[in-house]
């Protein structure tokens, strides 16, 4: 249409279009780099806000939905993660994005069990002690059931931490447990502080995964271990098709029925599909500086546990 206009007017229209495009680019730059929120394209700032709203919305029903979505198998996956960690009394654990306490409580139970076995072995070898001395020694050691172990739960979402604290109180967990509001991309902890860093079903919700991995490396002590449990890419074609059908057709419906929130669970399904495949994520962990990086697929890659060490 512009071809039929006078040359000056056509030039003005072309320049006007270029100016509008330039203004659009400037606005986009001002809003921040683009990223994804599920299958949507958004700015990093928008993504952080949307993800915060998702977990604020689902916090109270988070555990019930986990059981419903995975038929309870998430409990087994988390048990495997803690057994892979194999913490000993005295271990200092940072559990990031662990607001509802699932990993923290398992860690405490595991260390208590190890501590109890150590105590029993010690008493079996104390043949020369009197019954009273054995009893006093047992009670003294029993009062320190974690052997100086500590777990710090760090989560960016206040509602998730609130749910976790309520669970801890209800289940009787208090010793060796603390709760911190913090961002995985900028952790509020000193360098070289923790023996183990865990993040379970949380890293795919981090906007800058590279920054989160760098922070994990920073806060770990030399010799410390990084462990990540996350949904991954299924390596069985038939199972993959069934899994996609279940994910997109069933999980959002469960979210609506149980939590009254279709959109949040639609996002969670989409976020799984956007998360890097096992080898790609392994390379990201290595790029952050970790050594001896490997992963273990569970249930044909529905989830994977990635492991690495700070040397």
């Amino acid at each position: 249409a512009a071809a039929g206009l006078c040359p000056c007017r056509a030039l003005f229209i072309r320049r006007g279009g270029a100016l509008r495009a330039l203004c659009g680019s400037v606005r986009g730059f001002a809003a921040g780099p683009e990223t994804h929120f599920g299958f949507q394209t958004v700015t990093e700032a928008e993504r952080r806000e949307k993800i915060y709203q998702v977990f604020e919305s689902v916090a109270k029903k988070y555990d019930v939905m986990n059981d419903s979505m995975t038929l309870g198998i998430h409990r087994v996956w988390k048990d495997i993660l803690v057994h892979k960690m194999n913490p000993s009394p005295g271990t200092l654990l940072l559990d990031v994005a662990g607001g509802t306490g699932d990993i923290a409580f398992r860690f405490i139970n595991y260390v208590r069990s190890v501590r109890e076995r150590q105590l029993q072995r010690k008493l079996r070898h104390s043949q020369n002690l009197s019954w009273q001395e054995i009893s006093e020694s047992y009670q003294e050691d029993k009062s320190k059931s974690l052997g100086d172990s500590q777990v710090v739960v760090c989560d960016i979402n206040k509602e998730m931490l609130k749910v976790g604290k309520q669970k801890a109180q209800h289940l009787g967990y208090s010793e060796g447990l603390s709760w911190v509001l913090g961002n995985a991309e900028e952790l509020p902890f000193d360098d070289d502080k923790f023996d183990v860093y865990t993040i379970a079903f949380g890293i795919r919700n981090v906007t800058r995964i590279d920054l989160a991995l760098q922070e994990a490396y920073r806060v770990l002590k030399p010799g410390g271990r990084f462990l990540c449990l996350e949904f991954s890419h299924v390596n069985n074609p038939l199972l993959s098709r069934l899994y996609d059908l279940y994910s997109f057709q069933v999980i959002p419906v469960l979210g609506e029925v149980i939590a009254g929130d279709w959109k949040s669970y639609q996002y969670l399904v989409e976020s799984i599909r956007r998360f890097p495949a096992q080898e790609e994520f392994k390379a990201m962990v290595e790029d952050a500086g970790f050594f001896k990086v490997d992963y273990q697929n569970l249930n044909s890659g529905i989830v994977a546990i990635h492991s690495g060490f700070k040397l």
Side-chain angles (χ1 to χ4, degrees):
L5 301 173
C6 75
C8 291
R9 190 174 178 192
L11 181 62
F12 178 79
I13 289 173
R14 285 197 297 272
R15 286 183 175 174
L19 183 61
R20 284 193 296 274
L22 177 61
C23 289
S25 298
V26 171
R27 281 197 299 273
F29 181 77
E34 287 189 341
T35 183
H36 56 83
F37 175 77
F39 293 160
Q40 301 176 40
T41 299
V42 296
T43 65
E44 288 185 355
E46 287 172 336
R47 186 180 195 274
R48 289 186 178 97
E49 179 61 28
K50 284 177 177 291
I51 288 174
Y52 190 92
Q53 290 172 357
V54 164
F55 286 94
E56 190 172 50
S57 171
V58 305
K60 291 180 180 178
K61 296 289 186 178
Y62 185 76
D63 289 332
V64 175
M65 275 301 299
N66 279 348
D67 281 334
S68 301
M69 289 188 302
T70 69
L71 306 178
I73 300 173
H74 75 101
R75 297 172 181 269
V76 177
W77 295 334
K78 290 168 182 173
D79 287 342
I80 293 171
L81 177 71
V82 174
H83 278 82
K84 193 175 182 72
M85 184 197 315
N86 190 24
S88 57
T91 298
L92 184 57
L93 168 66
L94 173 63
D95 183 39
V96 175
T100 58
D102 274 4
I103 301 301
F105 303 153
R106 282 169 169 78
F107 169 82
I108 290 172
N109 290 342
Y110 193 97
V111 172
R112 281 178 177 169
S113 177
V114 172
R115 180 74 172 162
E116 178 71 20
R117 290 196 300 271
Q118 289 179 344
L119 180 56
Q120 290 175 356
R121 283 197 300 269
K122 175 184 172 183
L123 293 177
R124 277 199 299 268
H125 289 87
S126 302
Q127 300 295 329
N128 297 325
L129 295 178
S130 67
W131 171 84
Q132 185 176 1
E133 289 172 327
I134 291 175
S135 177
E136 290 174 354
S137 176
Y138 182 81
Q139 292 303 322
E140 181 182 350
D141 288 339
K142 187 74 172 174
S143 67
K144 300 177 182 178
S145 63
L146 292 178
D148 298 323
S149 289
Q150 294 278 332
V151 52
V152 178
V153 179
C154 180
D155 201 295
I156 198 171
N157 194 285
K158 292 179 182 178
E159 285 301 311
M160 294 289 282
L161 286 173
K162 181 180 177 182
V163 170
K165 290 176 182 178
Q166 290 171 346
K167 279 175 61 180
Q169 186 175 14
H170 175 72
L171 297 171
Y173 293 101
S174 58
E175 180 194 2
L177 176 62
S178 57
W179 308 85
V180 174
L181 186 68
N183 186 345
E185 299 172 36
E186 194 175 354
L187 293 170
F189 306 109
D190 293 336
D191 297 356
D192 305 328
K193 183 175 178 65
F194 297 95
D195 299 301
V196 184
Y197 171 112
T198 53
I199 183 165
F201 303 117
I203 204 160
R204 77 179 189 282
N205 299 310
V206 173
T207 298
R208 289 283 306 277
I209 293 175
D210 58 333
L211 294 183
L213 292 172
Q214 289 168 23
E215 281 292 273
Y217 187 88
R218 179 183 66 80
V219 301
L220 280 170
K221 298 174 183 177
R225 189 175 192 184
F226 167 84
L227 285 167
C228 173
L229 172 64
E230 188 53 87
F231 288 107
S232 202
H233 289 235
V234 178
N235 53 31
N236 180 305
L238 176 59
L239 180 59
S240 180
R241 287 194 292 272
L242 293 173
Y243 181 50
D244 280 345
L245 184 67
Y246 175 76
S247 296
F248 287 100
Q249 301 300 322
V250 177
I251 288 178
V253 175
L254 286 175
E256 181 64 30
V257 171
I258 296 173
D261 191 340
W262 178 295
K263 288 184 177 179
S264 291
Y265 285 94
Q266 181 71 28
Y267 155 73
L268 290 174
V269 169
E270 293 174 0
S271 70
I272 293 169
R273 298 310 183 278
R274 295 300 300 261
F275 189 71
Q278 288 89 325
E279 285 293 331
E280 185 182 350
F281 186 60
K282 177 185 176 184
M284 294 176 71
V285 176
E286 290 172 334
D287 287 344
F290 289 100
F291 289 85
K292 291 183 65 65
V293 178
D294 62 14
Y295 60 86
Q296 175 186 358
N297 283 328
L298 304 177
N299 295 98
S300 298
I302 290 178
V303 300
I305 299 175
H306 279 79
S307 170
F309 293 87
K310 176 178 178 177
L311 300 180

